[in-house]
Amino acid sequence: AYYEKVGFRGVEEKKSLEILLKDNPLDVEKLCTFSQRFPLPSMYRVHVWKVLLGILPPHSESQALVAGYRREQYTDVLQALQVMRFLHAATPQVEVYLRMFQLEGQELPRLSELTPPEEEDEDFLAIAKAMEEIVEDPVDCYWLIKCFVNQFNNKFGDSIPHLPKSLEHYLSQEDGRLLAHLKACGALRRLPHSLWFRRCFAGCFPESSLQRVWDKVISGSCKILVFVAVEVLLSYKIMLMAMNKPEAIVQFLSSMPQENTDAIVTKAIDLWHKYCGTPMHSV
Amino acid sequence: FLEDVKGQAKAELQASESRVQAQRKVTQALQTELLQLYSRLDSPPGGASEPCGPHNTRPAG
Amino acid sequence: FLEDVKGQAKAELQASESRVQAQRKVTQALQTELLQLYSRLDSPPGGASEPCGPHNTRPAG
C-alpha cells in the first residue's frame, strides 16, 4: 500500500510538473518550489535544472536560440584549448571540463606550468564526474557543471563554513548520545565536511540518490546537505558507536556503503521539511 | 506584457553576451601562450640546455 | 510602442552578434599564428630528425 501511495503520488506530481512546464514563459519560482517539495521525474530533471540554473531562458520562443548560443560558446572554448595543446585525445573528460571552466574563469595556468589537477580541483572534478553520470550530452553537462558550481559558490559560499555547526545542532536534537560519542572520541571536528558540504556528496552517493539531493541544492537550499549528513550519521549509528578511533570513523564515512543511500536521502528530505517547513507556494 | 517582452529580450542578449565574454577569455589565453612561445623562439636554440622545452614535461592527461 | 521595444531588442542582439563575429576573427587569427609557431618549434632547428618525440605528431584541433 505504501508503494501504491508513493506511485500514485508520483503520477500526480508528474502531471502537475507537466502543467508547470507548459507555461510560457516558465514560472521559475514555481519550478523552484516544485523541486523543493517533490523529487523531479528523471525524464524532466535535466530540462528543469537547466531552467533553474539559467542555462535555458523561460520563454519557449527563445530556447532554441539560446541553446545554440550555449553550444557555440562551448565549442569556441573547447577548440581554443585544443589548439593551445591543453587537451589531448587521452585527456579525461572531467579534466576537459576543468580546463574549460578555468579558461572561462581566467584561472587557466600557462601550458608550461600545467600540472595534473591538484587537490584544490578535486571538488570540481568530483562534481563533474557525478554530473557526467547524470547528463549524457557534453554541452549540457559542461553548462550544468559550470552553473551548478558557480551558483553554489555565489549563493552558499558564505553559508558553507557554518554547516558543520548546524550539523552539530540538528544532531543534538535528533540523537544526543551519538553526538556525545562523536565529540568524546574526537571525531566530530574531523567528519568529512568537505566531501559533504563542498562536493555536495558527489562521489559519496550513487547518482540515483545524489540527484535527489541536488534537486534541492539547485532549487535553492544548501541546508539539505546538513540533514543528509545527519541521516548518514543516524543510519550508521550502531557502527559509529562501536568505533572509538576518529580515523576509523572518518575512513568509514568517507567510503560509505552504497546500499541504502536512497533511504538516507528520503529520510533526510523528511527531516529537512520537519525542521525547515515545506515550501507552501501552490503548484 | 511589455515587461515580459523586455525580459525575454534581456535573456537573449545576456546569453549572446556570454559568448562575447568567453571569446575574450579565449583571446587572453591565446595571447599569453603566444607570448610564451615567442620568448622561447627568441632565446637561441643552442643555449641554456632544454632542447625539448617545457612542453613535453607535461603528462598527457 | 511594442514594436518599438522589439525593434530595439533586435538591434541590440544584432550588435552583440557582430561583436561575437569580430571576436571570433581575432581568436581565429591568433589560433592560426599559434599553430604556425608550434610547427616551427616542433621541427628541430638543425635537421630532419625529431628529437622531441611524440608531442608534435598530434594535430591540434
Side-chain angles (χ1 to χ4, degrees):
Chain A
Y2 174 75
Y3 283 102
E4 254 173 30
K5 201 176 130 207
V6 169
F8 178 69
R9 237 185 60 186
V11 171
E12 291 299 302
E13 286 160 17
K14 191 168 156 235
K15 273 189 202 153
S16 56
L17 178 62
E18 278 167 352
I19 292 168
L20 284 183
L21 289 176
K22 275 187 194 132
D23 276 349
N24 186 21
L26 295 168
D27 188 329
V28 178
E29 206 174 305
K30 277 187 186 172
L31 283 173
C32 268
T33 309
F34 183 93
S35 316
Q36 293 271 300
R37 289 180 73 179
F38 309 113
L40 291 169
S42 41
M43 61 186 300
Y44 296 119
R45 176 168 280 117
V46 169
H47 184 71
V48 174
W49 283 6
K50 280 161 73 180
V51 173
L52 294 183
L53 289 170
I55 299 165
L56 274 182
H59 289 81
S60 61
E61 313 84 49
S62 302
Q63 288 186 348
L65 178 76
V66 169
Y69 288 167
R70 302 308 191 200
R71 186 167 293 276
E72 273 180 39
Q73 187 169 333
Y74 172 90
T75 312
D76 286 341
V77 174
L78 179 67
Q79 210 177 38
L81 283 167
Q82 285 166 341
V83 172
M84 287 190 283
R85 301 193 173 178
F86 276 82
L87 305 176
H88 303 287
T91 309
Q93 190 60 29
V94 286
E95 198 186 322
V96 173
Y97 295 140
L98 173 68
R99 300 304 175 203
M100 293 177 70
F101 184 76
Q102 286 177 330
L103 187 149
E104 290 206 74
Q106 284 176 295
E107 283 172 353
L108 189 69
R110 290 180 193 162
L111 184 60
S112 55
E113 288 159 11
L114 195 69
T115 54
E118 299 183 27
E119 207 177 314
E120 60 186 55
D121 302 319
E122 290 302 323
D123 293 340
F124 180 94
L125 291 172
I127 288 171
K129 184 110 206 83
M131 196 65 91
E132 209 187 3
E133 298 289 325
I134 299 171
V135 186
E136 243 174 79
D137 179 72
V139 179
D140 282 346
C141 189
Y142 173 65
W143 275 96
L144 283 165
I145 296 165
K146 172 174 124 169
C147 295
F148 179 84
V149 169
N150 284 340
Q151 178 184 286
F152 187 76
N153 291 336
N154 294 339
K155 214 168 179 173
F156 306 129
D158 295 339
S159 315
I160 301 300
H162 303 294
L163 296 185
K165 205 73 202 152
S166 180
L167 169 61
E168 192 179 331
H169 169 74
Y170 289 111
L171 189 59
S172 77
Q173 306 280 302
E174 289 297 308
D175 197 322
R177 251 189 84 217
L178 179 57
L179 177 66
H181 170 72
L182 293 174
K183 257 189 191 164
C185 70
L188 189 69
R189 309 239 158 268
R190 299 178 54 183
L191 296 175
H193 291 134
S194 157
L195 173 65
W196 292 346
F197 303 142
R198 298 211 172 269
R199 296 187 193 176
C200 305
F201 292 89
C204 183
F205 285 177
E207 281 65 35
S208 56
S209 308
L210 187 67
Q211 56 197 9
R212 292 171 54 215
V213 178
W214 286 12
D215 285 345
K216 312 304 179 199
V217 177
I218 289 172
S219 57
S221 164
C222 70
K223 211 150 196 194
I224 182 65
L225 300 172
V226 171
F227 293 100
V228 177
V230 169
E231 284 298 340
V232 165
L233 295 173
L234 292 178
S235 303
Y236 294 108
K237 178 182 175 179
I238 296 170
M239 272 170 260
L240 296 173
M241 293 296 280
M243 298 180 194
N244 287 309
K245 288 206 173 101
E247 299 80 27
I249 291 178
V250 173
Q251 171 70 28
F252 174 78
L253 291 171
S254 302
S255 52
M256 275 174 38
Q258 302 276 296
E259 291 92 57
N260 53 352
T261 52
D262 248 342
I264 290 175
V265 171
T266 303
K267 284 191 218 157
I269 292 171
D270 288 345
L271 198 64
W272 172 58
H273 284 159
K274 174 179 141 191
Y275 282 104
C276 300
T278 311
M280 285 320 273
H281 204 298
S282 63
V283 286
Chain B
F1 178 65
L2 185 67
E3 286 311 305
D4 197 44
V5 174
K6 279 187 182 170
Q8 183 181 358
K10 196 177 160 202
E12 289 178 3
L13 190 62
Q14 273 175 352
S16 178
E17 278 301 296
S18 156
R19 289 180 305 168
V20 180
Q21 291 307 321
Q23 285 277 351
R24 278 197 190 127
K25 308 283 162 61
V26 166
T27 304
Q28 281 171 9
L30 283 166
Q31 285 173 343
T32 307
E33 284 304 311
L34 275 168
L35 285 174
Q36 288 256 304
L37 282 181
Y38 274 123
S39 68
R40 265 173 62 196
L41 275 173
D42 290 344
S43 60
S49 68
E50 290 185 38
C52 296
H55 56 275
N56 58 356
T57 58
R58 178 167 158 279
Chain C
F1 181 63
L2 180 68
E3 284 315 305
D4 206 37
V5 173
K6 278 188 180 170
Q8 191 188 341
K10 199 178 162 199
E12 283 176 12
L13 199 60
Q14 272 171 355
S16 176
E17 183 68 44
S18 71
R19 277 198 290 277
V20 173
Q21 296 310 326
Q23 281 281 342
R24 204 165 273 156
K25 284 201 183 116
V26 172
T27 56
Q28 270 167 10
L30 290 170
Q31 289 185 3
T32 308
E33 197 177 335
L34 190 65
L35 287 173
Q36 280 177 353
L37 270 186
Y38 268 127
S39 69
R40 266 175 69 193
L41 280 169
D42 286 345
S43 59
S49 68
E50 294 188 22
C52 296
H55 61 273
N56 56 359
T57 60
R58 193 181 299 287

